[in-house]
Amino acid sequence: MSRSARGRVLLSVTGFNPHRWHELLSAEREVVLEPDRADDPSIDYAVVWKQRPGVLSKLPNLKAIFSIGAGVDHIFLDADVPDVPIVRVVAENLTQYMTEYVVWRVLDHQRQGAAYRAQQPRKVWHEPPQPPATEIAVGIMGLGQLGRAAARALLALGFRVNGWTRTPRPMGGVTGFHGGDGLGPFLAATDILVVLLPLTPATAGIVDYGLLRGLRRDNALGGAFLVNAGRGKLQKEADILRALDDGTLKEASLDVFEEEPLPPSSPLWTHPRVFVTPHAAATSDPVHLVPPMLRQMARFERGESLENVVDRDAGY
Ligand code: NDP
Ligand code: OXD
């Protein structure tokens, strides 16, 4: 089938240069780069990251929306998203990146990375206590595509792993908790908290002082740790700072922030026990993500169902 006979794509992106996405999508489809011809009635699909509000509702024949990321909260920033299927990213490459990030941050906290970074400029030769992984419980909030893969890697390293989900999600080797009633017991059994939740009305602001107080501090590491690679608006940064300063939290690794880029005025940048990365835990690489998007469009045109469709009621 020729390119022009296939459904057309609108690429609508803010915050980064979509050149490579345009190039790779164009290999099979005609691609309109918004804002050009952004109300073209011949558009069938939209590929989006934080699209400008109102753009999608101008497409009368839109059939499906493809998120450039695993999260879809950026799409719902637009109150006017047409009622067509929304497909999110589920890809080995993205999952691998996130697993690496989680393992990196958990190992850094377990192996006292912050203490060594503080010692080195002072030329201090001192070995802090080294509790083994088997004595440490990592609690993962969100045992979805990313959380389950991270759990598998942590289990292979010998960590104890707890998981917290919305609905029961049994997983071998993982102690599972779910729902509001499960949250307290999950936190009380967790030394290093890893947040891999989607941002939805039910999860916004969930990582607050009260939640951090619930973590286990009397443990082999001498305190509780936070790793957030889900979304910034899951956390209350003032509460994290308070928790770090009063000993509720020992250290935090944050990849996502209430406001991104993290403003230069944020005290998180210079806090000695906070490790900042710029929303880089699992980057969306178009070389790996465009081919499955194109395959899904072709499947859809053959009458087959789309995969990884978002549950709009749940918001993820
Ligand atoms: P999934 O949809 O596969 O999994 C989401 C998990 O969160 C599920 O286990 C789900 O529970 C759980 N969950 C959702 N709502 C609640 C709730 N109210 N209470 C308890 N648990 C809840 O998502 P992914 O694993 O693919 O991705 C997770 C998030 O990671 C994305 O939404 C995105 O925000 C973030 N992300 C960040 C990146 C970065 O670079 N920092 C890169 C990629 C993603 P259940 O199993 O019961 O449905
Ligand atoms: C995503 C992200 O959702 O990169 O994939 O944040």
Side-chain angles (χ1 to χ4, degrees):
M1 198 193 286
S2 72
R3 243 168 38 121
S4 57
R6 297 186 178 122
R8 287 208 176 127
V9 176
L10 179 80
L11 180 58
S12 179
V13 167
T14 58
F16 66 94
N17 184 340
H19 164 76
R20 192 76 178 119
W21 290 84
H22 187 263
E23 187 175 62
L24 292 166
L25 286 163
S26 300
E28 281 192 21
R29 308 236 158 208
E30 286 194 4
V31 181
V32 171
L33 185 57
E34 195 263 325
D36 288 348
R37 289 161 50 213
D39 52 0
D40 187 333
S42 71
I43 302 279
D44 292 291
Y45 308 107
V47 174
V48 304
W49 180 260
K50 290 186 189 162
Q51 80 281 358
R52 264 177 277 276
V55 161
L56 299 178
S57 61
K58 287 199 198 112
L59 301 172
N61 294 309
L62 187 66
K63 298 189 176 56
I65 299 165
F66 289 80
S67 168
I68 276 179
V72 292
D73 50 292
H74 64 99
I75 295 177
F76 295 120
L77 290 173
D78 178 352
D80 221 359
V81 178
D83 189 14
V84 297
I86 300 174
V87 175
R88 68 187 201 91
V89 168
V90 174
E92 219 173 279
N93 166 263
L94 187 100
T95 304
Q96 171 70 18
Y97 273 132
M98 185 58 87
T99 300
E100 290 167 1
Y101 171 85
V102 171
V103 169
W104 173 39
R105 298 322 311 149
V106 167
L107 286 176
D108 187 62
H109 292 306
Q110 178 220 357
R111 295 302 302 262
Q112 313 277 4
Y116 290 123
R117 284 189 289 277
Q119 284 183 184
Q120 189 168 336
R122 293 181 289 122
K123 301 178 184 165
V124 174
W125 187 268
H126 165 70
E127 180 183 334
Q130 300 208 42
T134 48
E135 286 182 20
I136 297 161
V138 181
I140 306 181
M141 294 180 89
L143 266 193
Q145 290 294 330
L146 303 180
R148 292 172 91 80
R152 276 192 290 275
L154 293 167
L155 286 170
L157 287 169
F159 288 95
R160 283 180 267 149
V161 180
N162 304 316
W164 185 67
T165 49
R166 187 169 62 95
T167 57
R169 290 277 176 206
M171 177 174 173
V174 173
T175 307
F177 302 84
H178 68 275
D181 291 347
L183 185 55
F186 162 81
L187 295 170
T190 291
D191 308 314
I192 301 179
L193 179 68
V194 174
V195 184
L196 284 176
L197 289 168
L199 178 64
T200 69
T203 61
I206 191 167
V207 182
D208 62 7
Y209 188 76
L211 178 138
L212 298 172
R213 282 301 295 172
L215 289 168
R216 182 163 68 186
R217 283 180 297 287
D218 182 14
N219 57 26
L221 288 169
F225 298 75
L226 168 67
V227 176
N228 185 6
R231 279 290 181 267
K233 286 193 165 55
L234 296 167
Q235 73 197 13
K236 298 207 171 133
E237 284 159 19
D239 288 18
I240 293 174
L241 286 160
R242 177 181 165 205
L244 284 163
D245 292 343
D246 73 7
T248 296
L249 265 186
K250 198 164 172 193
E251 295 166 19
S253 289
L254 304 175
D255 183 59
V256 288
F257 301 91
E258 286 177 58
E259 183 184 342
E260 295 180 3
L262 182 63
S265 60
S266 170
L268 292 170
W269 278 116
T270 49
H271 198 292
R273 285 176 288 115
V274 176
F275 190 90
V276 169
T277 44
H279 198 141
T283 197
S284 284
D285 180 346
V287 170
H288 291 269
L289 304 190
V290 166
M293 273 179 193
L294 290 171
R295 277 198 296 276
Q296 286 248 60
M297 291 173 197
R299 282 167 53 91
F300 186 69
E301 286 166 9
R302 289 196 301 268
E304 294 169 36
S305 54
L306 291 166
E307 291 172 345
N308 309 316
V309 172
V310 169
D311 172 346
R312 286 177 85 126
D313 291 333
Y316 66 98

